[in-house]
């Protein structure tokens, strides 16, 4: 299923929270968009919806920023692949390990190359300012859980 809708920055928190509340162990959410598109804003809203009280730092330099209970109610790894230059580097990150009991939020999923997960939720953000468009490629695994209709 594909969904596409316009939103503004004030609505980004609501959208991210709705998706965050629907997350379950094994989920991968890929956030695609240009620099400044709002990928981290949506990821932060998802983390906040799972109980993160403080500000989530951008994982640009750490690459993987893990969150675990009791900080959040579902283990989540926020991943920024912007600095990954070769998909062979991904093996060292051990991203599959996070999916046993948690979820992944991945910014810059194009760096996955031929890798990825068949049931990955792909969120593409375009536009700027208060004229954003979110296009969601919703896999069957999300089916009835998809919160934005």
């Amino acid at each position: 299923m594909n969904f596409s809708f316009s939103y503004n920055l004030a609505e980004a928190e609501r959208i991210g929270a709705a998706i965050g509340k629907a997350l379950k162990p094994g989920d991968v959410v890929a956030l695609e968009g240009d620099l400044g598109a709002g990928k981290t804003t949506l990821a932060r809203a998802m983390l906040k919806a799972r109980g993160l009280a403080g500000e989530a730092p951008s994982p640009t330099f750490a690459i993987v920023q893990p969150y675990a209970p009791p900080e959040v109610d579902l283990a989540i790894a926020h991943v920024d692949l912007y600095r990954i230059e070769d998909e062979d580097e991904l093996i060292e990150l051990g991203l599959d390990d996070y999916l046993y009991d948690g979820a992944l939020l991945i910014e810059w999923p194009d760096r996955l190359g031929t890798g990825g997960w068949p049931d990955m939720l792909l969120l593409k953000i375009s536009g700027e300012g208060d004229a954003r468009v979110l296009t969601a490629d919703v896999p069957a695994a999300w089916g009835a859980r998809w919160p934005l209709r």
Side-chain angles (χ1 to χ4, degrees), residues 7-72:
Y7 70 100
N8 61 42
L9 289 178
E11 296 170 306
E13 177 125 354
R14 178 189 60 79
I15 292 166
I19 296 168
K21 288 175 187 172
L23 286 173
K24 68 178 192 175
D27 281 342
V28 178
V29 178
L31 299 149
E32 188 176 285
D34 292 335
L35 282 171
K39 298 177 297 293
T40 302
T41 299
L42 284 178
R44 285 176 174 153
M46 290 179 218
L47 289 162
K48 185 176 178 183
R50 299 315 296 233
L52 186 66
E55 180 73 20
S58 172
T60 300
F61 293 103
I63 300 177
V64 178
Q65 181 65 51
Y67 298 91
E71 189 176 29
V72 289

Side-chain angles (χ1 to χ4, degrees), residues 1-5 7 11-12 14-20 22 42 121 123 134 136 138 142-149:
M1 296 184 290
N2 284 312
F3 294 92
S4 186
F5 54 91
Y7 70 100
E11 296 170 306
R14 178 189 60 79
I15 292 166
I19 296 168
L42 284 178
L121 171 63
L123 303 176
L134 180 70
V138 182
W142 276 75
R145 285 191 297 141
W146 177 243
L148 306 170
R149 301 211 184 252

Side-chain angles (χ1 to χ4, degrees), residues 98-128:
Y98 291 100
L99 298 176
Y100 292 113
D101 61 354
L104 290 171
L105 307 179
I106 300 179
E107 297 185 36
W108 300 98
D110 57 302
R111 304 292 208 275
L112 291 169
T114 58
W117 295 267
D119 292 327
M120 180 169 69
L121 171 63
L122 178 59
L123 303 176
K124 296 178 186 179
I125 305 166
S126 58
E128 57 187 40

